[in-house]
Amino acid sequence: MKEPIRIIISLIILFAAIPALWSATVSIEPTKDNSMFEEADESNGKGTYLFSGQTAPKNNNARRRALLQFDLNGVIPAGSTIESVSLELTMNRTITGSQAMTLHRLNADWGEGSSNAFGQEGRGTAAQQGDVTWRHTFFSTQFWTSQGGDYVGTASATTSVGGNGKYTWSGAGMVDDVQAWVDNSATNFGWILVGLEGQTSAKRFISRESTTVGDRPKLTITYSEAAATWAGYPIEPDGRSVFTDGFLGWVDTGEAPWIWVYALNRYIYAPEQNISAAGGWVWIGQ
């Protein structure tokens, strides 16, 4: 074993060299969104609006449900821990007052085809190939197990939606959903938005096709990247240091590239090339 090398370090240089560690936050728009219309094989894949709730009696008391999916591949690093999640939607047309609207994790994939309803879009239009409908996951050959969508019965989040404006869904259920999708992207089918059903309650939201970017659906996620480990301790994402209750005042460069710095109360990554000929520790970056 080589003779132990005493740590000689300038704390001013060290503090300047070690970057602060922060959680990361990203905001993304849907990869696809669409609405289902109960009364017929109708859809609105390329429409400007999404619908959820139940129509008035003059429109057959028919239900609408909106669906949104966000592709997290390449957005959230594999192995990350999800800390918080929020979904912002802009509502711009309603025939009723405040109501609880629930967001549920979908259990099956679905489609956004080329259908594009006219006018206020509330009646939808004939589904096109690949569109989701009340009966179909992908029109016209693939079907929901349960008409109206296959989704988790327990809501991932609930928000009261009243007059026109922006509304946010968030909470532990959505964190769990996104964490599951990061851990296994094959299960990411997105969410379905369900309004108050059994009475008039329909509301209209802005879709991802809107020309007004600020009104489009927005998913905001805060996460921390996965930590590697050394000697059973988590290494910080910058790859330079590791927290531990261990106590070392020496480093043998033939044994490990880590030194314990008393003043910082942490290990610092110090590969052999960072040890000077005189026995001091020299910061040379990554």
Side-chain angles (χ1 to χ4, degrees):
M1 180 180 291
K2 298 181 181 179
E3 180 182 356
I5 302 172
R6 185 175 298 278
I7 301 167
I8 302 172
I9 189 167
S10 167
L11 291 181
I12 294 177
I13 295 175
L14 181 61
F15 277 119
I18 301 175
L21 297 177
W22 304 96
S23 296
T25 298
V26 295
S27 293
I28 57 176
E29 295 180 3
T31 310
K32 59 184 178 182
D33 56 16
N34 207 339
S35 298
M36 300 188 299
F37 302 81
E38 183 180 20
E39 60 267 47
D41 284 338
E42 295 180 341
S43 197
N44 195 26
K46 298 303 180 184
T48 305
Y49 305 120
L50 302 168
F51 296 86
S52 184
Q54 183 167 306
T55 64
K58 66 179 181 180
N59 290 318
N60 303 316
N61 295 311
R63 292 173 290 176
R64 280 91 173 87
R65 293 174 180 171
L67 304 89
L68 307 99
Q69 184 189 50
F70 298 82
D71 186 357
L72 305 178
N73 292 323
V75 177
I76 308 294
S80 294
T81 298
I82 306 303
E83 299 176 358
S84 66
V85 178
S86 64
L87 172 65
E88 180 184 271
L89 298 178
T90 302
M91 197 278 294
N92 73 343
R93 188 177 178 86
T94 181
I95 56 176
T96 60
S98 296
Q99 61 166 289
M101 304 194 75
T102 56
L103 202 65
H104 301 255
R105 178 158 48 94
L106 282 157
N107 288 328
D109 201 8
W110 51 276
E112 178 192 82
S114 60
S115 58
N116 192 350
F118 61 89
Q120 299 299 320
E121 303 183 12
R123 294 181 182 273
T125 191
Q128 301 300 301
Q129 191 67 33
D131 267 322
V132 66
T133 75
W134 199 261
R135 297 191 305 142
H136 301 90
T137 53
F138 295 90
F139 185 81
S140 60
T141 59
Q142 299 181 50
F143 296 83
W144 296 109
T145 300
S146 299
Q147 291 190 21
D150 302 329
Y151 57 89
V152 176
T154 301
S156 297
T158 303
T159 288
S160 179
V161 180
N164 293 357
K166 295 183 182 297
Y167 294 89
T168 301
W169 285 258
S170 63
M174 292 177 66
V175 170
D176 291 343
D177 292 345
V178 173
Q179 186 69 68
W181 298 338
V182 169
D183 294 342
N184 183 3
S185 62
T187 65
N188 179 7
F189 307 123
W191 290 292
I192 186 170
L193 180 64
V194 180
L196 183 62
E197 297 180 349
Q199 65 185 67
T200 301
S201 61
K203 293 183 183 291
R204 187 179 75 179
F205 297 85
I206 305 294
S207 79
R208 75 186 188 99
E209 281 78 15
S210 173
T211 57
T212 305
V213 174
D215 287 343
R216 295 172 185 167
K218 181 176 67 175
L219 182 67
T220 300
I221 303 169
T222 298
Y223 65 93
S224 56
E225 291 191 41
T229 60
W230 174 78
Y233 299 105
I235 301 171
E236 296 176 21
D238 64 3
R240 299 175 182 174
S241 56
V242 58
F243 292 106
T244 176
D245 293 328
F247 182 84
L248 293 175
W250 303 82
V251 59
D252 183 338
T253 56
E255 293 294 321
W258 298 88
I259 59 176
W260 177 260
V261 180
Y262 297 97
L264 295 180
N265 195 38
R266 62 165 61 170
Y267 279 102
I268 298 298
Y269 185 57
E272 187 168 357
Q273 63 266 30
N274 286 26
I275 306 300
S276 72
W281 186 73
V282 181
W283 180 264
I284 60 172
Q286 294 193 71

